Amino acid sequence: MIGVFDSGNGGLTVLRALAGRLPGPGFAYLGDHANAPYGDRPAEAVYRLTVENVERLFGLGCRLVLLACNTASAVALRRLQRHWLPGVDGGRRVLGVLVPVVEPITLVPWQVNAPPSDRPTPPATIGVFATPRTVTTGAFAYEIGRRAPAVTVLQQACPGLVAAIEADAPAAEIAGLVAGFVAALQERCPAGRPDTVVLGCTHFPLVADAFAAALPAGVPILDQPRLVADSLEAYLRRHPDFDDGAGGGAAEGGGIRFLSTGCNGATAAVASRFFGRPVVFERVG
Ligand code: DGL
């Protein structure tokens, strides 16, 4: 099984894309509902919780874990890969969701950590909407900048948006919040508008329409779940040993275990909105 981790429900937007795309592997989805949201937590707490939950997925037999949470990827992935994973029993891998998005922005393959000299010119201004914690890490700007230094990355923190999405707030309330974040970003754009937008939180695909309505016509919004599915598909082609062939029916929710550190009576209904099909969690931890 491939482990898919998020602070709560957001990663289900990614899992949905993975299950629709990859018939081979089985998946174990783990939502840390007991500690969500991560987006306002101190970086050290996000790191500690991320490691704890990756360990949990390793303990369940997952050898490959995807952090399907931008906040966890931004705060924890590089540190965990450098300082924690080498001390863990061999052959295990942890991937994140930032770099699959960075590749189409910079037009530089993710394996490349420096800009090649013959690189075509990528769009000039990228707008990233994300949780406050993701924004304070500067991880999107860092990952884009090391491959395409000429690109301007403008980040916009979206406090309150995750909570509003979880609460299924009325469309007018979501539209008002999103319009405010878009206006705040556009004020800082040299040309008054971004060239491309990234919704850098796995909750935000649920309100992509509100972003599209608030942005000027024609500004593309990158589809992070689809890009992560593209990237994982390519990764599994290079590392077929992580594909256990246990995913039969994953597109319909078969071949998937849904785990939660703290689900309650309401969690399944909220989660089902993210996954697009009924979700039943097993409690762990
Ligand atoms: N879905 C998470 C992300 O992609 C954030 C949700 C939270 O704040 O826990 O950043």
Side-chain angles (χ1 to χ4, degrees), residues 49-225:
L49 290 168
T50 301
V51 167
E52 209 172 274
N53 284 296
V54 169
E55 256 180 327
R56 208 167 249 147
L57 284 164
F58 283 169
L60 289 165
C62 302
R63 291 183 303 115
L64 174 65
V65 171
L66 174 70
L67 305 182
C69 174
N70 289 271
T71 310
S73 299
V75 170
L77 183 63
R78 282 192 177 276
R79 178 173 165 194
L80 172 164
Q81 285 174 333
R82 281 193 196 137
H83 302 293
W84 178 72
L85 203 52
V88 172
D89 236 14
R92 298 201 168 93
R93 294 285 179 273
V94 183
L95 305 174
V97 288
L98 265 61
V99 169
V101 176
V102 166
E103 178 175 321
I105 290 172
T106 59
L107 309 177
V108 177
W110 67 269
Q111 300 95 328
V112 178
N113 283 329
S117 50
D118 59 351
R119 173 179 58 75
T121 311
T125 303
I126 306 295
V128 179
F129 295 93
T131 64
R133 176 56 55 214
T134 296
V135 167
T136 59
T137 67
F140 271 103
Y142 173 78
E143 296 291 354
I144 294 169
R146 66 197 303 218
R147 296 168 177 86
V151 171
T152 303
V153 181
L154 295 176
Q155 303 181 93
Q156 178 62 47
C158 303
L161 189 53
V162 164
I165 295 168
E166 289 266 339
D168 204 9
E173 186 184 322
I174 299 274
L177 276 173
V178 168
F181 299 136
V182 168
L185 181 115
Q186 297 213 120
E187 268 170 30
R188 292 180 285 130
C189 289
R193 56 184 279 165
D195 294 294
T196 298
V197 155
V198 178
L199 302 185
C201 170
T202 53
H203 277 68
F204 295 177
L206 269 73
V207 297
D209 287 353
F211 278 98
L215 285 161
V219 174
I221 300 175
L222 296 185
D223 181 348
Q224 187 181 45

Side-chain angles (χ1 to χ4, degrees), residues 1-26:
M1 279 185 307
I2 294 176
V4 178
F5 169 67
D6 181 66
S7 57
N9 296 315
L12 291 165
T13 60
V14 175
L15 180 66
R16 184 178 183 171
L18 300 181
R21 174 75 62 83
L22 302 167

Side-chain angles (χ1 to χ4, degrees), residues 245-284:
E252 285 76 43
I256 304 178
R257 278 181 80 181
F258 294 96
L259 308 159
S260 169
T261 57
C263 48
N264 59 35
T267 313
V270 179
S272 302
R273 279 198 291 121
F274 285 75
F275 191 56
R277 280 186 292 278
V279 170
V280 179
F281 285 108
E282 303 165 44
R283 187 80 175 253
V284 291

